[in-house]
Amino acid sequence: MMLKRKQLQLKILKININSKKINVSFNSENKYYNAEYYLIKRGLHKYFNIDKFKIMYTNNGKPFLDNDVYLSISHDKDIVVVALSNVRVGIDIQYYRKLDIDTLNNMNKLLNVSSNTITNFSIKEAILKLNGDVFKNINNYDINDYYVVSHYSKKYIIICVYHKYMIKWISTWRRNNEKIF
């Protein structure tokens, strides 16, 4: 009997919290929540054919859905990003900031790295989100155990991670010539 490989399904959606597309009737005055809900609803409908869903939270605050789709959410300043996938996923967005030398050195010590501080920080933040863990455990995870999908713009970086044991082989990050970002 031949085992079927699981085809990766990944959809990353982003929106500015001030977008006119966001309907404020999601029972929240929190603009981040409204944007998150809008993206989740749109993504589940468009890419997974799911119209009814419930967002729940673990004790650590990790959001999850009441169906077979995995979810991760991040926001920074005015951008919200949501990752929806058929395997556990973690996502993080970080705006580039000017950091003083002491802050950089402290971050490098905290992350046990010597360079690419913002990228490594974002990867580890996404790994924490994938695992539903808290910040104090940031060094309990090895970046090399994860696949990393990254998107760099002039203003920010978006990092999405999967654990390598979940996906044995990935042929492409695009489906039907659609970009993930």
Side-chain angles (χ1 to χ4, degrees):
M1 179 160 98
M2 192 169 169
L3 292 175
K4 263 182 119 175
R5 292 182 179 168
K6 191 173 197 175
Q7 183 177 357
L8 173 66
Q9 285 185 286
L10 167 65
K11 291 298 168 192
I12 298 173
L13 303 107
K14 72 178 172 83
I15 196 165
N16 185 301
I17 61 170
N18 299 312
S19 172
K20 302 230 186 285
K21 293 179 185 178
I22 300 171
N23 184 342
V24 292
S25 66
F26 296 137
N27 299 323
S28 175
E29 292 180 15
N30 179 333
K31 282 194 168 192
Y32 286 120
Y33 179 81
N34 290 335
E36 293 164 5
Y37 190 89
Y38 170 81
L39 291 176
I40 294 165
K41 184 175 180 174
R42 189 178 106 205
L44 287 175
H45 174 76
K46 185 173 182 179
Y47 301 112
F48 295 90
N49 293 322
I50 296 173
D51 291 319
K52 293 183 181 182
F53 64 93
K54 184 175 181 182
I55 303 170
M56 296 172 281
Y57 298 88
T58 66
N59 291 340
N60 286 341
K62 176 181 172 58
F64 65 97
L65 298 169
D66 63 344
N67 53 46
D68 293 333
V69 178
Y70 292 92
L71 164 71
S72 187
I73 300 168
S74 184
H75 48 77
D76 194 4
K77 292 190 180 181
D78 57 351
I79 300 289
V80 173
V81 289
V82 169
L84 300 170
S85 183
N86 60 337
V87 295
R88 284 180 42 219
V89 62
I91 195 166
D92 188 53
I93 182 171
Q94 294 290 326
Y95 266 85
Y96 301 122
R97 295 170 173 83
K98 290 185 180 181
L99 300 173
D100 62 53
I101 219 59
D102 290 336
T103 303
L104 284 171
N105 289 335
N106 289 337
M107 287 178 75
N108 288 340
K109 285 178 191 172
L110 175 69
L111 299 175
N112 294 325
V113 296
S114 59
S115 62
N116 297 325
T117 303
I118 296 297
T119 300
N120 282 314
F121 178 81
S122 193
I123 291 170
K124 287 206 172 186
E125 183 80 15
I127 290 169
L128 287 176
K129 290 178 183 181
L130 180 147
N131 291 295
D133 208 342
V134 293
F135 190 78
K136 70 179 182 178
N137 297 328
I138 199 163
N139 284 316
N140 292 351
Y141 301 97
D142 184 355
I143 289 173
N144 296 316
D145 291 339
Y146 297 84
Y147 287 114
V148 177
V149 178
S150 58
H151 170 74
Y152 296 88
S153 79
K154 291 179 181 179
K155 295 182 180 180
Y156 55 81
I157 178 176
I158 298 174
I159 297 287
C160 190
V161 296
Y162 291 92
H163 202 286
K164 286 185 177 177
Y165 77 80
M166 294 179 195
I167 303 170
K168 300 291 184 201
W169 176 76
I170 299 172
S171 62
T172 181
W173 291 108
R174 293 183 186 191
R175 183 176 159 214
N176 301 330
N177 292 324
E178 277 185 271
K179 292 182 180 178
I180 3 180
F181 293 100

